[in-house]
Amino acid sequence: GAVVSQHPSRVICKSGTSVKIECRSLDFQATTMFWYRQFPKQSLMLMATSNEGSKATYEQGVEKDKFLINHASLTLSTLTVTSAHPEDSSFYICSAGASSLAADTQYFGPGTRLTVL
Amino acid sequence: GESVGLHLPTLSVQEGDNSIINCAYSNSASDYFIWYKQESGKGPQFIIDIRSNMDKRQGQRVTVLLNKTVKHLSLQIAATQPGDSAVYFCAAPGGSQGNLIFGKGTKLSVKP
């Protein structure tokens, strides 16, 4: 199947700093990438949807100025957590879909564990 | 909209036994369902999917059953192994952006 990577896999930062997480589709062009957040022992919750070359669509309650998303190419989307605080500590997971794949197919990255001190 | 949910948050089985994980959904118009396995600290891994024109689909050691009448699907794992220990999520497309909506998850623990 298609492969999606994330970098870094784990990051620890100080409160107030910004952290960038990359999501890459390695062997296909991802027209759409989804960013999910998962708190411990909970399910995945969609944060935003990014489409290549256009602005991201954020879910209700997700601050677009805090969680900056850039989908500059068909293989890369980035999520930047600005001025991170301890409550932003979570597991961030991206998934990617493509028009070349089956309509409902999404491939997930391995996730990024963010810990804000 | 779609909402999916799981009946049991945890399931403990003996190695070698069969496991059954259940999921209920609310939108009768949903036509595609997916089961994911998530190991600790990792992203969801696709296990098997099923479309609404089918009642059953089999994979390697896994079977998904879909009962559209009661809006219920299940994941059956045959001869459960320690490596099957993980959290299992059912999911269905239903978000406004074409995203998947996930159930709460069932944690499967396999006792040796």
Side-chain angles (χ1 to χ4, degrees):
Chain A
V3 179
V4 175
S5 70
Q6 281 184 242
H7 178 80
S9 58
R10 189 179 292 265
V11 57
I12 301 172
C13 69
K14 293 182 179 179
S15 184
T17 61
S18 295
V19 174
K20 180 185 284 188
I21 302 170
E22 293 184 348
C23 178
R24 293 182 184 271
S25 56
L26 299 185
D27 50 2
F28 68 100
Q29 294 185 324
T31 49
T32 304
M33 285 185 172
F34 301 95
W35 287 96
Y36 295 85
R37 180 168 52 186
Q38 185 179 32
F39 291 107
K41 297 185 179 181
Q42 293 189 21
S43 190
L44 284 74
M45 297 297 295
L46 181 70
M47 297 177 64
T49 304
S50 73
N51 294 293
E52 187 267 338
S54 63
K55 290 184 179 180
T57 302
Y58 291 81
E59 294 300 294
Q60 192 172 7
V62 178
E63 299 176 56
K64 63 179 182 180
D65 294 330
K66 181 171 181 63
F67 298 99
L68 302 178
I69 290 173
N70 185 288
H71 194 159
S73 77
L74 286 171
T75 59
L76 173 64
S77 176
T78 60
L79 168 67
T80 301
V81 183
T82 63
S83 187
H85 291 285
E87 57 266 30
D88 299 324
S89 298
S90 188
F91 195 49
Y92 292 86
I93 306 170
C94 71
S95 72
S99 56
S100 60
L101 304 175
D104 300 314
T105 302
Q106 290 185 28
Y107 294 93
F108 285 84
T112 296
R113 173 74 60 193
L114 171 63
T115 303
V116 184
L117 302 177
Chain B
E2 177 61 78
S3 69
V4 290
L6 295 175
H7 295 304
L8 294 173
T10 60
L11 176 64
S12 183
V13 300
Q14 201 71 37
E15 181 179 359
D17 288 350
N18 296 334
S19 303
I20 299 176
I21 300 171
N22 297 303
C23 185
Y25 62 96
S26 60
N27 187 353
S28 56
S30 295
D31 61 359
Y32 180 60
F33 303 90
I34 312 130
W35 281 100
Y36 286 95
K37 172 186 180 183
Q38 186 179 28
E39 296 176 273
S40 180
K42 297 183 179 180
Q45 177 186 0
F46 173 91
I47 302 174
I48 192 168
D49 59 0
I50 189 168
R51 295 204 176 269
S52 60
N53 60 350
M54 302 172 70
D55 297 321
K56 178 180 180 179
R57 191 168 187 217
Q58 288 186 292
Q60 188 176 12
R61 281 201 308 117
V62 294
T63 301
V64 55
L65 299 178
L66 176 63
N67 186 329
K68 296 180 286 293
T69 302
V70 295
K71 292 185 283 188
H72 178 274
L73 69 158
S74 66
L75 176 70
Q76 300 179 3
I77 304 174
T80 313
Q81 303 169 0
D84 295 326
S85 294
V87 177
Y88 291 82
F89 294 96
C90 63
S96 59
Q97 303 302 318
N99 57 290
L100 295 172
I101 297 177
F102 285 81
K104 296 179 182 177
T106 293
K107 183 176 182 179
L108 175 64
S109 298
V110 182
K111 296 176 288 186

